[in-house]
């Protein structure tokens, strides 16, 4: 039995990736890189903002030095307008409580961003003291450090990670942890190729945890 579930935040707990990437695509268009929403998500979901900036520059975006502050401000404004929980998350968290399985959050996003997204949905208080952010930790996915730190804090011997991005799956595999890859809108082939066990509905997670 798994003794810790490590959730990614964006796209796993809260349905924030579409909003964030709509903002990002609109911003980058002003700097010479035109991307559709799906293209933007394919390129940037799961990355750190520093990594997003570097990749956008490699694609020809002429970004100012203060671009990260700019895109954070625009993204936070978009998220404050409203971000729902991923379908089925509330039920899954209730199940974990019933089973006595600990859970936490490990995200490449900042605490400020999680305060906006999780705070809207009552999860900020639930995960107090159980959030690991690359923004403050200093190392993000695809490095395994966030997941290893989470497992160490909880004293977990058999953790499992729930992720929706290639960088997150890669981090989990590097940490030698089982990874469930959430693919709500695709077949998840990219996640499966990296070593994740792909699923498409949070209602499937309890049966997967029992395996």
């Amino acid at each position: 039995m798994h003794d810790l579930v490590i959730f990614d935040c964006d796209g796993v707990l809260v349905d924030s990736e579409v909003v964030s990437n709509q903002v990002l695509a609109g911003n980058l268009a002003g700097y010479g890189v035109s991307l559709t929403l799906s293209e933007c998500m394919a390129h940037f979901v799961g990355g750190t903002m520093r990594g997003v900036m570097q990749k956008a520059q490699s694609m020809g975006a002429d970004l100012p030095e203060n671009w990260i502050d700019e895109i954070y401000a625009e993204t936070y404004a978009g998220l404050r307008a409203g971000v729902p929980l991923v379908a089925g998350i509330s039920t899954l968290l209730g199940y974990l409580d019933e089973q006595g399985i600990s859970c936490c959050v490990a995200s490449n996003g900042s605490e400020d961003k999680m305060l906006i997204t999780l705070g809207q949905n009552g999860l900020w208080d639930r995960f107090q003291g159980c959030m690991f952010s690359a923004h403050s930790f200093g190392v993000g996915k695809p490095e395994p450090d966030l997941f290893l730190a989470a497992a160490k804090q909880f004293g977990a011997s058999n953790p499992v990670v729930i992720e929706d991005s290639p960088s997150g799956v890669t981090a989990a595999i590097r940490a030698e942890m089982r990874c469930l890859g959430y693919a709500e809108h695709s077949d998840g082939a990219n996640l499966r190729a990296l070593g994740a066990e792909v699923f498409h509905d949070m209602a499937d997670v309890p049966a997967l945890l029992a395996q």
Side-chain angles (χ1 to χ4, degrees):
M1 173 67 75
H2 293 289
D3 53 0
L4 175 66
V5 176
I6 305 175
F7 289 98
D8 178 40
C9 184
D10 297 297
V12 172
L13 289 175
V14 287
D15 195 6
S16 53
E17 292 290 14
V18 170
V19 173
S20 296
N21 280 272
Q22 285 173 334
V23 171
L24 179 58
N27 178 281
L28 292 179
Y31 292 109
V33 174
S34 296
L35 298 169
T36 65
L37 175 61
S38 59
E39 288 171 340
C40 191
M41 294 183 71
H43 283 296
F44 300 119
V45 165
T48 63
M49 200 54 72
R50 177 64 58 184
V52 170
M53 182 177 185
Q54 292 171 346
K55 189 166 187 177
Q57 288 173 323
S58 74
M59 297 168 71
D62 184 19
L63 303 180
E65 289 185 7
N66 69 337
W67 181 80
I68 290 179
D69 291 335
E70 175 186 306
I71 193 62
Y72 269 135
E74 293 181 9
T75 300
Y76 292 171
L79 294 173
R80 286 191 186 98
V83 180
L85 290 175
V86 166
I89 276 295
S90 294
T91 301
L92 175 56
L93 291 175
Y95 169 81
L96 296 178
D97 288 343
E98 291 171 3
Q99 298 299 311
I101 301 173
S102 299
C103 59
C104 66
V105 183
S107 173
N108 272 351
S110 67
E111 287 94 341
D112 289 343
K113 184 179 181 183
M114 287 191 279
L115 177 58
I116 294 169
T117 57
L118 299 180
Q120 292 179 31
N121 297 287
L123 295 187
W124 175 261
D125 291 337
R126 177 193 174 97
F127 286 109
Q128 276 293 336
C130 304
M131 287 176 278
F132 301 82
S133 166
H135 200 259
S136 59
F137 200 75
V139 181
K141 310 164 195 176
E143 298 306 318
D145 302 59
L146 287 177
F147 296 149
L148 293 172
K152 182 178 180 180
Q153 177 170 310
F154 280 85
S157 60
N158 190 23
V160 59
V161 174
I162 301 182
E163 271 287 350
D164 71 326
S165 72
S167 63
V169 173
T170 299
I173 299 305
R174 288 178 176 176
E176 299 184 345
M177 296 179 183
R178 183 186 184 195
C179 185
L180 305 181
Y182 180 53
E184 182 182 10
H185 303 297
S186 71
D187 62 5
N190 60 331
L191 305 182
R192 185 178 292 107
L194 293 170
E197 299 169 49
V198 173
F199 71 102
H200 306 282
D201 189 322
M202 288 297 168
D204 298 333
V205 174
L208 289 168
L209 294 179
Q211 294 178 8

